[in-house]
């Protein structure tokens, strides 16, 4: 077993050299192990040498694989890399907000890929992790029944649940998480993360509190609900613009799903996280999570989930600028077909043919193929009863029209999507229209572009502000106790 260095700030280069020497490996051996584990054959010993000399620091992708091949916590390497950057020991590197949360999730995903039984995930669920996005995300303006008690600050063990495969609970569906969780999912059909992130975090806190005080049998029974609560809290935090909160929620959801013996839901969690990283401008991380999620869930997934995960792969590949690899993934998703009634899990109720068509259209726009994309995006973008979905795909439809040179059409679609953003309260959807606004800059003198600019100015006071605007910036409304009559039974997509 490789000894873990003592706690405290370490420089990355010396730490890597120490860990390599403890294994008796050469730099060439480290490079070979990384290539074999990651499936990327181009890394050489020269790159490992640069890391050790701190001429360069590895990004999240290689940090995750280094943790796997060296058998050390990903946080150890991430902290050393961050310390080296702070001291100016290496040239400045791109370090987006939430990079440590991304690295932690990537490391966990790599470990699950290496050992699907879950033994490689090891260790108890941390008390900090159990708070999920609640730790720094927004909270609802009013608590339903007083403040939730603090969770146990230390790391409560899973009493044998996380040390290896746990298997599903006899007599209990793996997706069961309580009626209030299902209700919150359906409110997500109508409202965005700016309204619901605090409620999702609160739901996760309640589930985590029950988990920490339960005995071994109770914890096993609560694992599926904990996984679903964490996934939904992560999704809502991400939709509110809280990248770190979203990734923290997904990390807890992955651990709980694997401990519950539910690889299908674990794959869904990684697909949701891939969706988040793709929107955050990290296509490499998005592709890594999407591929691991599909590989780990493929044998257990329903047809609809397999198609969704293949779409996650195709989109990440497209954003990474690899069109030849995106087409096979899209073709595979198409061959898988759509959701099959009676075979899909309850948490995937929102996936329908229109959603899958829009996912294909979005990827085609990312590939610069607007012709076939526009008709695929149209139905989802014009669904007024699902405002967030209409806003998000409306942004992609507007980009498709711009690629076709149809500025007036793009502005008309973007204007409709802008109203849907206001209706839904989704900061994530605002990001799509921000992209459209930037692309319209080249056409600012055209009448349609000027009209859209005026509409955007008028709507600005009503646009949702999420976690990116600062702690507690997300507005929140308390949902009624029951969904409104005639509300949607299909969703804008809960991830």
């Amino acid at each position: 077993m490789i000894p873990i260095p003592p706690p405290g700030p370490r420089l990355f280069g010396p730490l890597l050299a120490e860990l390599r020497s403890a294994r008796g490996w050469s730099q060439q051996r480290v490079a070979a192990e990384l290539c074999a584990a990651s499936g990327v054959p181009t890394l050489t010993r020269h790159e490992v040498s640069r890391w050790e000399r701190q001429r360069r620091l590895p990004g999240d992708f290689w940090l995750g694989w280094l943790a796997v091949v060296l058998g050390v916590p990903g946080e150890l390497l991430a902290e050393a890399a961050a310390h080296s950057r702070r001291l100016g020991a290496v040239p400045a590197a791109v370090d987006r907000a939430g990079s440590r949360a991304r690295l932690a999730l990537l490391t966990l995903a790599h470990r699950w890929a290496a050992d699907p039984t879950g033994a490689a995930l090891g260790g108890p669920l941390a008390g900090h992790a159990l708070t999920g996005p609640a730790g720094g995300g927004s909270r609802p303006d009013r608590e339903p029944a007083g403040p939730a008690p603090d969770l146990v600050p230390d790391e409560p063990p899973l009493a044998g649940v996380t040390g290896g495969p746990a298997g599903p609970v006899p007599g209990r569906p793996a997706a069961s998480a309580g009626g209030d969780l299902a209700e919150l999912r359906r409110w997500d059909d109508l409202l965005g993360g700016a309204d619901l992130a605090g409620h999702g975090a609160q739901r996760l806190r309640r589930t985590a509190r029950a988990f920490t005080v339960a005995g071994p049998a109770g914890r096993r029974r609560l694992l599926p609900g904990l996984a679903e609560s964490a996934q939904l809290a992560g999704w809502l935090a991400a939709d509110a613009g809280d990248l770190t909160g979203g990734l923290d929620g997904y990390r807890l959801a992955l651990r709980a799903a694997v401990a519950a013996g539910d690889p299908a839901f674990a794959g869904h969690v990684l697909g949701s996280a891939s969706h988040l990283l793709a929107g955050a401008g990290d296509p490499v991380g998005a592709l890594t999570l999407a591929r691991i999620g599909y590989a780990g869930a493929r044998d257990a997934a329903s047809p609809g989930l397999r198609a969704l995960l293949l779409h996650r792969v195709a989109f990440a590949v497209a954003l990474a600028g690899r069109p030849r690899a995106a087409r096979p993934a899209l073709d595979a998703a198409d061959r898988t077909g759509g959701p099959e009634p009676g075979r899909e899990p309850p948490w995937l109720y929102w996936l329908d043919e229109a959603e899958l068509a829009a996912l294909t259209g979005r990827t085609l726009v990312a590939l610069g193929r607007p012709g076939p994309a526009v008709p695929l995006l149209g139905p989802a973008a014009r669904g007024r009863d699902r405002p967030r979905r209409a806003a998000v795909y409306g942004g992609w439809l507007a980009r498709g029209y711009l690629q076709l040179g149809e500025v007036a059409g793009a502005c008309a679609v973007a204007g409709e999507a802008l109203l849907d953003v206001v209706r839904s309260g989704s900061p994530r959807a605002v990001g799509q229209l921000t992209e459209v606004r930037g692309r319209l800059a080249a056409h600012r003198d055209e009448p349609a572009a000027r009209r859209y600019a005026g509409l955007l100015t008028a709507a600005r006071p009503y646009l949702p502000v999420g976690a990116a605007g600062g702690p507690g910036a997300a507005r929140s409304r308390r949902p009624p106790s029951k969904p409104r009559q005639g509300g949607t039974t299909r969703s804008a997509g809960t991830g």
Side-chain angles (χ1 to χ4, degrees):
M1 180 175 179
I2 304 303
I4 302 297
R10 300 289 304 276
L11 289 175
F12 182 85
L15 174 60
L16 177 58
E18 180 180 325
L19 293 170
R20 174 177 61 80
S21 299
R23 284 189 173 271
W25 288 358
S26 65
Q27 292 176 344
Q28 180 66 44
R29 173 69 183 276
V30 172
E33 293 288 337
L34 287 171
C35 290
S38 68
V40 178
T42 55
L43 188 82
T44 68
R45 68 173 182 85
H46 300 292
E47 191 64 20
V48 177
S49 175
R50 292 186 188 98
W51 293 342
E52 291 188 356
R53 290 182 289 127
Q54 299 201 150
R55 299 293 301 274
R56 186 177 300 174
L57 285 179
D60 290 350
F61 178 83
W62 288 119
L63 281 172
W65 283 116
L66 276 168
V68 171
V69 302
L70 294 174
V72 298
E75 293 81 359
L76 178 71
L77 299 179
E79 289 172 0
H83 184 57
S84 296
R85 289 190 183 98
R86 285 195 298 269
L87 294 181
V90 294
V94 176
D95 187 14
R96 303 181 190 92
S99 61
R100 289 182 63 183
R102 283 200 303 277
L103 175 59
L105 181 58
L106 285 165
T107 301
L108 201 66
H110 288 312
R111 289 177 177 169
W112 181 52
D115 184 2
T117 67
L121 273 63
L125 288 179
H128 172 72
L130 284 175
T131 64
S138 60
R139 296 172 62 105
D141 293 334
R142 292 183 293 165
E143 303 267 292
D150 291 337
L151 295 173
V152 179
D154 297 324
E155 298 191 352
L158 276 179
V161 175
T162 56
V169 180
R172 178 183 175 89
S176 176
D180 58 334
L181 182 60
E183 183 181 44
L184 183 58
R185 285 193 183 280
R186 283 158 177 78
W187 274 109
D188 183 55
D189 298 350
L190 297 172
L191 305 174
D195 293 282
L196 296 178
H199 297 278
Q202 186 181 61
R203 175 62 170 79
L204 177 56
R205 285 196 297 272
R206 291 202 307 270
T207 306
R209 178 183 60 185
F211 184 87
T212 58
V213 301
R219 289 184 177 185
R220 182 181 294 271
R221 186 177 65 254
L222 290 170
L223 275 171
L226 178 62
E228 287 200 43
S229 296
Q231 187 273 337
L232 182 56
W235 169 265
L236 294 172
D239 195 56
D242 182 3
L243 174 69
T244 302
L247 292 173
D248 285 344
Y250 291 145
R251 188 167 78 251
L252 174 58
L254 176 61
R255 294 192 64 187
V258 173
D262 191 350
F265 194 74
H268 176 52
V269 169
L270 290 182
S272 301
S274 171
H275 179 70
L276 171 56
L277 291 187
D282 182 14
V284 173
L287 180 56
T288 299
L289 294 181
R291 283 178 166 167
I292 293 175
Y294 176 71
R298 177 177 50 203
D299 294 339
S302 64
L305 180 58
R306 285 199 300 274
L308 176 63
L309 292 176
L310 284 167
H311 275 292
R312 303 295 195 210
V313 172
F315 185 54
V317 169
L319 292 179
R322 299 168 57 185
R324 292 184 180 179
R327 188 70 255 179
L330 281 177
D331 291 342
D334 185 59
R335 289 194 302 270
T336 300
E340 295 186 11
R343 296 188 60 187
E344 303 301 328
W347 39 263
L348 206 61
Y349 75 94
W350 53 269
L351 187 67
D352 56 17
E353 295 292 346
E355 182 82 26
L356 291 174
L359 290 172
T360 299
R362 178 184 66 172
T363 300
L364 291 174
V365 171
L367 292 171
R369 298 182 55 199
V374 165
L376 293 173
L377 287 163
R382 298 186 179 97
R384 299 280 83 83
D385 59 333
R386 312 175 203 182
R388 183 186 53 221
R389 184 169 84 168
V392 171
Y393 290 127
W396 284 99
L397 180 59
R399 290 167 65 173
Y401 276 123
L402 283 176
Q403 289 179 0
L404 291 170
E406 299 182 18
V407 177
C411 292
V413 169
E416 294 175 356
L418 184 61
L419 297 179
D420 285 317
V421 168
V422 175
R423 294 186 186 107
S424 69
S426 172
R428 178 170 62 92
V430 175
Q432 293 294 327
L433 295 182
T434 300
E435 180 73 19
V436 173
R437 182 185 61 187
R439 293 170 185 262
L440 279 171
H443 309 280
R444 62 172 61 91
D445 293 332
E446 298 195 27
R450 289 200 300 271
R451 286 194 298 272
Y452 176 72
L455 180 61
L456 184 60
T457 299
R460 197 176 303 279
Y462 306 99
L463 295 178
V465 178
R475 61 185 176 89
S476 177
R477 294 193 300 267
R478 178 184 174 89
S481 58
K482 295 183 180 297
R484 62 190 72 166
Q485 295 297 319
T488 60
T489 57
R490 307 294 297 175
S491 128
T494 55

